[in-house]
Amino acid sequence: MPNRVFLSPPHMNGAEMRYINDAFESNWIAPLGANVDLLERRVCEYLKCNGATALSSGTAAIHLALRYLGVERGDVVFCSALTFAASCMPILYEGAEPVFIDSELDSWNMSPDALRSAMSDYAALGRLPKAVVVVDLYGIPANYDAIQAICSEFGVPILEDAAEALGSSYRGRMCGTLGALGVLSFNANKIITTSGGGMIVTDDTAAAEKTKFWATQSREPVAYYLHREVGYNYRLSNISAGIGCGQMETIAGFVNRRREVNAFYREAFRSLPVTFPTAPEGSVPNCWLSVLTIDCAVSPTDVIDALERCNIEARRCWNPMNRQPKFDGCKFYAVQTDGYSSVGETLFEKGICLPSGTAMSDAELDRIADCVRATIGD
Ligand SMILES: *Cc1c(COP(=O)(O)O)cnc(C)c1O
């Protein structure tokens, strides 16, 4: 059997151990420290933003970002429907009510038309959302010109879920910085990893300070233990942050390789009945995962099973949140599409994620392409 090819495995560049050794040598084995500060600075420089809070996960980052935007029990929060559950679970932590917005077919991201209908309806009810969680799915920037126009018309802040989009940009601005607050993930399968971790990024330095405070149990800065607010143990460890500092040294190379992998698939499958998403005008996606829909009778599962027989890991696309039992009864603004109840459902039923790791060799890419071509056929 040839080597296993994973979907998006971590890719260590060799620089990480230096930062971890620094932490050991200084005995700074804590959820704070020099590596945490350095990782925040490096990400701020890379994104050209003013503030960052390194946290133990992207999910924790979304949770604290929602709190900062004032989300409370009984509030409404809009969220992209086609996403990973981490985008919206924290809405439930605060006892708020998610309202899901369908995708547009080209970018797979939040449909501005569906967002506008939802805004008009909730404005009429006098229940405007406290925030709109806009996801840059698979690293493709959402359609921010249209989405920002709608959100500013109704005075609702954007929380950009850029967990998958570190290194993507929209009209010259880096993903993560397109809303009031942005969120990154450093989970093992993301563009860079800290094994597990996440970050809030923002130009609002008060937001960065406040979320750091909440993430360390809301300990008041006095010489004894004093707490006036709810707190969390959400800070990133100095060891994990060391991995991230090392990873940031080669982020440009990681993003380039993801784009090369995507360009390879587009070329290799030119004559197959498949469709890749189209990034909005003026945007440059990081191509975190290469995704496509299969426009013939072959199902995603057929291709996944065929790849598995060649020891290659591929996966279905995200199953939209409006279809999850946990979110039964939540309102959903669908975009009509041929043969399916929503665009998200179409993409789920026909979509597939192909291996997209940055350490993959050209020979492995050829193996994947041969297998996909043999399954889907010309
Ligand atoms: C990975 C991811 C997150 C955050 O996940 P964590 O595993 O908690 O870091 C959030 N949203 C999306 C869309 C993601 O893919």
Side-chain angles (χ1 to χ4, degrees), residues 99-350:
V99 169
F100 295 112
I101 313 292
D102 201 3
S103 295
E104 52 180 13
L105 205 48
D106 45 3
S107 76
W108 297 29
N109 282 315
M110 182 181 282
S111 154
D113 293 338
L115 174 63
R116 177 169 284 286
S117 331
M119 279 289 189
S120 308
D121 286 0
Y122 278 82
L125 292 170
R127 284 191 82 199
L128 276 174
K130 279 281 176 70
V132 180
V133 181
V134 180
V135 181
D136 302 318
L137 205 70
Y138 298 117
I140 298 171
N143 187 346
Y144 284 100
D145 279 356
I147 290 171
Q148 282 164 342
I150 296 163
C151 288
S152 55
E153 181 185 329
F154 288 89
V156 179
I158 293 173
L159 197 181
E160 182 185 6
D161 180 350
E164 303 176 355
L166 180 60
S168 305
S169 65
Y170 183 86
R171 300 204 189 284
R173 287 168 62 191
M174 298 301 282
C175 280
T177 68
L178 293 153
L181 297 167
V183 162
L184 304 173
S185 168
F186 308 134
N187 193 21
N189 61 353
K190 297 285 165 54
I191 291 283
I192 67 159
T193 186
T194 58
S195 83
M199 194 175 273
I200 293 174
V201 289
T202 178
D203 273 333
D204 175 355
T205 46
E209 287 314 307
K210 191 71 187 191
T211 51
K212 278 173 198 167
F213 173 74
W214 286 334
T216 45
Q217 301 291 15
S218 299
R219 270 180 72 177
E220 297 290 339
V222 295
Y224 58 100
Y225 293 99
L226 181 68
H227 307 268
R228 298 183 206 278
E229 295 182 58
V230 171
Y232 305 86
N233 181 2
Y234 273 175
R235 273 298 241 172
L236 185 64
S237 99
N238 198 44
I239 304 297
S240 298
I243 304 175
C245 292
Q247 292 260 293
M248 279 305 285
E249 291 189 10
T250 55
I251 174 114
F254 289 153
V255 172
N256 272 339
R257 184 61 183 157
R258 298 253 177 193
R259 289 181 182 146
E260 279 176 12
V261 165
N262 191 259
F264 169 86
Y265 287 133
R266 283 175 189 261
E267 175 61 27
F269 305 149
R270 231 177 9 177
S271 59
L272 297 189
V274 300
T275 308
F276 289 86
T278 315
E281 203 192 310
S283 74
V284 186
N286 65 4
C287 303
W288 170 57
L289 289 188
S290 280
V291 294
L292 52 82
T293 54
I294 305 165
D295 310 317
C296 65
V298 178
S299 74
T301 316
D302 296 334
V303 180
I304 291 165
D305 292 348
L307 286 165
E308 190 54 54
R309 285 191 291 275
C310 305
N311 209 16
I312 296 163
E313 183 190 26
R315 290 206 196 153
R316 299 285 297 272
C317 292
W318 302 127
N319 186 11
M321 292 304 117
N322 54 290
R323 296 164 48 100
Q324 305 293 345
K326 181 62 201 164
F327 295 107
D328 270 354
C330 290
K331 192 107 173 70
F332 170 56
Y333 283 78
V335 173
Q336 290 314 312
T337 180
D338 290 348
Y340 292 91
S341 65
S342 64
V343 169
E345 186 188 55
T346 313
L347 298 173
F348 171 64
E349 294 297 348
K350 296 166 49 170

